[in-house]
Amino acid sequence: MNKPENVRLEVFKFNLSPRRQYNGTNTFREVFIRKTESTENIDNQTLFTNFFQHFIQTVDTEYQVLRNKAFTLINDGQTNFNSSNNTIFGVLEGGPLGEGKTRRRLSNKSDGNTLDGNVINDKYFFYIYMPLDDSSGYIMFQIYQQDSIRYEFLNFIFKEIFRIEPDFNMPNYDPYFPQSIIDEFKSSAKVKEIKFTETVLSQQIDEAASFTSINESYKIEVKVTPVRSNFGTQMLDTILPPLFRKSFNNTNLSDFDNKKIVLQNRTTRRNATFDMDGVGDIMPRIYLYNRININAFGIPDFRELKNYCDELLRNILDEEPTVDEI
């Protein structure tokens, strides 16, 4: 059973990847035309409909097995598309393979059988935005606390749907954290910890051979933790300058390689780590608890989740720079 408070959403930005020798159009429309064998003058709505059917035919088969996991599409009306919004969304079923595992009744431990040849399933929601006249899109994927099938699903669709021989490689993708979520987190967060990290050579600490011969280099971490305090991010402009002027081994903390702040959301108690100048090493995860309905078994309301993704996408697109700003 999944805990409702652990259900979250990950966001990724992905880009089509034309090969060097390709001289054609680098857009989703071109990929859709090639994949569906449509004519160049096809209208966008018909093209998107044809591509959705191609997507279903590719994904909605028997279980797709990658590494030690498998997934399939739940095509019972929960998977659909919106051509005016350039999106495809739906629900997958999948998880780790049962090889080497067994199941037994709680009331009779001797009554059991092997799970070999079975999949231990969870349900996962996906949402893909593909603007026809562009080469960049977004994928949102809902996961739980435990290991998910996100990696397997993304690699499958990138290989089977967006790769086209001999002109397009698999798309590249990166985690994306919407600015609206960053702002929301910061506005309701307190500063839990400030960390400065620097890797130094042994001789920078002490030139004595008895010291330098032990180890070549060390990672130095200076950690500043507020004691019995609840100050928020609005106080950082006052807190940070004096800390930056402090030094270790004749190096100011402002010159350390890595400078990070750990913030804690006052409501959810979740922590996130930020670089001093922006988003740091946090994954683009958005906890869905209290945003949408999630049942006692940790399964989200997928209709509500689709609507939430629609809203989040609008916020993301509003954040994108316009042509005049680039």
Side-chain angles (χ1 to χ4, degrees):
M1 184 175 72
N2 303 303
K3 293 183 178 180
E5 61 270 23
N6 289 330
V7 182
R8 54 189 186 264
L9 189 72
E10 296 183 326
V11 184
F12 300 88
K13 185 173 185 178
F14 72 104
N15 304 283
L16 297 177
S17 182
R19 293 178 181 171
R20 185 174 301 175
Q21 75 277 7
Y22 176 65
N23 295 318
T25 306
N26 179 27
T27 62
F28 285 107
R29 178 179 169 85
E30 179 65 22
V31 169
F32 288 12
I33 288 175
R34 300 271 293 272
K35 279 294 184 177
T36 60
E37 299 180 348
S38 300
T39 60
E40 290 291 336
N41 62 351
I42 187 172
D43 66 275
N44 286 347
Q45 184 172 349
T46 303
L47 177 60
F48 212 99
T49 302
N50 292 347
F51 180 77
F52 175 70
Q53 293 170 348
H54 171 75
F55 181 92
I56 293 294
Q57 291 168 0
T58 304
V59 182
D60 187 22
T61 59
E62 295 300 323
Y63 277 95
Q64 303 292 341
V65 180
L66 288 86
R67 303 193 303 176
N68 61 339
K69 298 179 185 177
F71 69 87
T72 189
L73 188 69
I74 301 178
N75 190 13
D76 59 357
Q78 297 184 85
T79 299
N80 212 326
F81 72 103
N82 184 337
S83 59
S84 62
N85 202 33
N86 300 305
T87 54
I88 290 177
F89 48 88
V91 180
L92 303 168
E93 190 172 64
L97 301 180
E99 265 59 26
K101 298 181 176 65
T102 60
R103 69 180 180 92
R104 297 184 185 277
R105 293 184 181 277
L106 288 173
S107 58
N108 184 1
K109 69 178 184 179
S110 63
D111 181 11
N113 50 48
T114 179
L115 290 177
D116 289 355
N118 290 273
V119 182
I120 303 172
N121 283 317
D122 264 314
K123 291 182 178 180
Y124 300 89
F125 182 82
F126 67 90
Y127 183 101
I128 311 174
Y129 169 69
M130 301 159 289
L132 291 181
D133 294 327
D134 207 330
S135 60
S136 298
Y138 294 94
I139 292 181
M140 305 181 196
F141 198 88
Q142 168 259 319
I143 66 172
Y144 304 96
Q145 177 73 15
Q146 68 269 25
D147 204 9
S148 78
I149 58 169
R150 182 257 298 160
Y151 173 87
E152 288 73 19
F153 175 67
L154 292 189
N155 278 269
F156 175 80
I157 63 170
F158 286 165
K159 178 181 179 181
E160 301 299 331
I161 292 180
F162 294 105
R163 186 181 68 169
I164 302 176
E165 294 291 349
D167 295 325
F168 285 87
N169 292 316
M170 292 171 58
N172 55 72
Y173 68 99
D174 293 295
Y176 183 85
F177 205 86
Q179 187 62 43
S180 59
I181 300 297
I182 295 174
D183 293 341
E184 176 186 321
F185 188 93
K186 286 184 175 180
S187 66
S188 60
K190 67 177 181 179
V191 176
K192 187 174 182 181
E193 190 175 83
I194 304 172
K195 295 189 294 186
F196 303 86
T197 307
E198 174 86 347
T199 300
V200 299
L201 297 175
S202 296
Q203 60 262 34
Q204 293 177 279
I205 301 175
D206 195 308
E207 295 182 350
S210 58
F211 179 81
T212 59
S213 62
I214 296 174
N215 196 57
E216 181 181 0
S217 61
Y218 295 88
K219 179 180 286 187
I220 305 298
E221 182 175 278
V222 177
K223 187 181 299 185
V224 181
T225 304
V227 178
R228 293 188 297 275
S229 175
N230 257 341
F231 71 84
T233 57
Q234 70 276 7
M235 301 299 297
L236 287 175
D237 288 342
T238 303
I239 297 294
L240 290 178
L243 293 178
F244 282 167
R245 292 193 292 268
K246 299 301 178 182
S247 64
F248 174 84
N249 199 40
N250 296 320
T251 301
N252 284 349
L253 296 184
S254 60
D255 294 326
F256 271 39
D257 290 337
N258 294 292
K259 302 177 286 292
K260 298 184 183 297
I261 299 177
V262 179
L263 302 180
Q264 183 179 75
N265 187 290
R266 299 176 194 267
T267 303
T268 65
R269 315 298 294 178
R270 300 284 181 183
N271 293 341
T273 303
F274 292 80
D275 283 335
M276 294 293 184
D277 295 324
V279 182
D281 55 5
I282 53 174
M283 280 291 291
R285 292 171 179 167
I286 302 163
Y287 286 90
L288 296 171
Y289 191 61
N290 291 331
R291 296 181 187 272
I292 63 171
N293 282 318
I294 302 173
N295 68 23
F297 299 101
I299 306 300
D301 184 312
F302 294 120
R303 292 184 184 276
E304 289 190 18
L305 181 50
K306 184 266 178 186
N307 292 335
Y308 177 76
C309 289
D310 284 340
E311 178 184 355
L312 185 59
L313 176 63
R314 287 192 292 269
N315 291 337
I316 290 173
L317 297 182
D318 286 342
E319 294 168 3
E320 289 186 339
T322 62
V323 175
D324 292 339
E325 295 173 329
I326 297 177

